[in-house]
Amino acid sequence: GENVEQHPSTLSVQEGDSAVIKCTYSDSASNYFPWYKQELGKGPQLIIDIRSNVGEKKDQRIAVTLNKTAKHFSLHITETQPEDSAVYFCAARNNYGQNFVFGPGTRLSVLP
Amino acid sequence: NAGVTQTPKFQVLKTGQSMTLQCAQDMNHNSMYWYRQDPGMGLRLIYYSASEGTTDKGEVPNGYNVSRLNKREFSLRLESAAPSQTSVYFCASNWDRGGGQPQHFGDGTRLSIL
């Protein structure tokens, strides 16, 4: 079955700097990769997603890149702000009756 | 539009007690899911319901049962709670289990088993 690894587990950056979180997956059939942000006491909220027919997707300060050959995808946050501090989860799934498999999460702290 | 609503938000149980966690969504989604979240382990799927009237086991189903009451509601039951079931439980839903459809999550139920 699918296995998703996520690094780093914790990340601290200065406000205004960029943050990058990387995930790797094992199942070459996976074709949909969402990223979720979870704030303290809340459920995960979708922030961006990418499908396997696209290499990069941007939404304002957030971007996701996908390398199908290497089987990894990354979340890029530019011009970080204190409100970006949260736990971020990546996930992967395919069309062949599989459920989402989540990475273990990255705790991002943006220091003012 | 409330999205996914979970009740209760917090609960403390004694070992051996039973309880039901409730989940309801108002987005007319077909598929619903129950996850547990433990430190450092991400989200693990307990049970899911691909459509009304169907339920299936996920990665960690032991000690749990589910009921898809109707299209809106999906409940999770602990028949005899154990300390290992102390966790945060999340319900999620999406249009269709197949393909690239993101899940929408509730805010969780924090459950402690003493």
Side-chain angles (χ1 to χ4, degrees):
Chain A
E2 176 65 278
N3 181 53
V4 177
E5 296 184 354
Q6 184 173 347
H7 298 281
S9 57
T10 60
L11 178 61
S12 293
V13 300
Q14 291 294 133
E15 183 177 357
D17 287 350
S18 296
V20 181
I21 303 169
K22 182 177 177 179
C23 287
T24 60
Y25 60 98
S26 60
D27 187 348
S28 57
S30 289
N31 58 7
Y32 176 62
F33 309 93
W35 283 91
Y36 290 87
K37 176 184 181 182
Q38 185 178 25
E39 297 177 335
L40 193 62
K42 298 290 187 180
Q45 298 292 309
L46 179 75
I47 54 172
I48 197 167
D49 57 8
I50 192 168
R51 290 170 173 77
S52 59
N53 59 345
V54 175
E56 183 176 6
K57 183 177 179 180
K58 289 183 179 179
D59 183 3
Q60 300 182 344
R61 296 187 297 109
I62 294 173
V64 56
T65 58
L66 171 65
N67 183 325
K68 288 189 294 183
T69 302
K71 289 190 283 188
H72 67 71
F73 56 111
S74 299
L75 177 70
H76 304 255
I77 306 174
T78 59
E79 301 174 16
T80 54
Q81 301 167 2
E83 51 264 39
D84 294 329
S85 296
V87 179
Y88 291 82
F89 292 97
C90 61
R93 68 142 294 145
N94 60 42
N95 286 337
Y96 305 109
Q98 299 299 314
N99 290 299
F100 285 93
V101 177
F102 288 82
T106 295
R107 182 173 298 279
L108 174 64
S109 299
V110 179
L111 309 174
Chain B
N1 190 342
V4 179
T5 302
Q6 292 184 237
T7 57
K9 295 187 184 302
F10 303 92
Q11 185 71 48
V12 178
L13 294 177
K14 295 181 179 179
T15 298
Q17 288 185 317
S18 62
M19 80 162 295
T20 300
L21 281 62
Q22 306 287 352
C23 174
Q25 51 91 9
D26 61 3
M27 296 172 282
N28 202 34
H29 286 166
N30 291 313
S31 300
M32 299 185 73
Y33 311 79
W34 276 106
Y35 292 90
R36 60 177 288 172
Q37 184 178 41
D38 301 294
M41 300 188 73
L43 292 156
R44 292 184 294 167
L45 184 65
I46 304 171
Y47 270 94
Y48 65 95
S49 171
S51 61
E52 186 178 357
T54 69
T55 61
D56 285 286
K57 295 178 180 179
E59 179 186 357
V60 288
N62 291 345
Y64 306 95
N65 285 299
V66 291
S67 296
R68 183 74 182 266
L69 304 172
N70 47 56
K71 191 171 186 178
R72 291 186 63 248
E73 298 172 290
F74 189 38
S75 63
L76 178 72
R77 182 161 178 83
L78 286 71
E79 290 291 351
S80 179
S84 61
Q85 295 177 305
T86 293
S87 188
V88 182
Y89 291 86
F90 288 99
C91 176
S93 69
N94 64 357
W95 285 108
D96 190 340
R97 181 169 164 262
Q101 299 294 329
Q103 294 180 332
H104 299 258
F105 286 84
D107 283 337
T109 294
R110 284 143 186 85
L111 183 62
S112 293
I113 315 295
L114 305 178

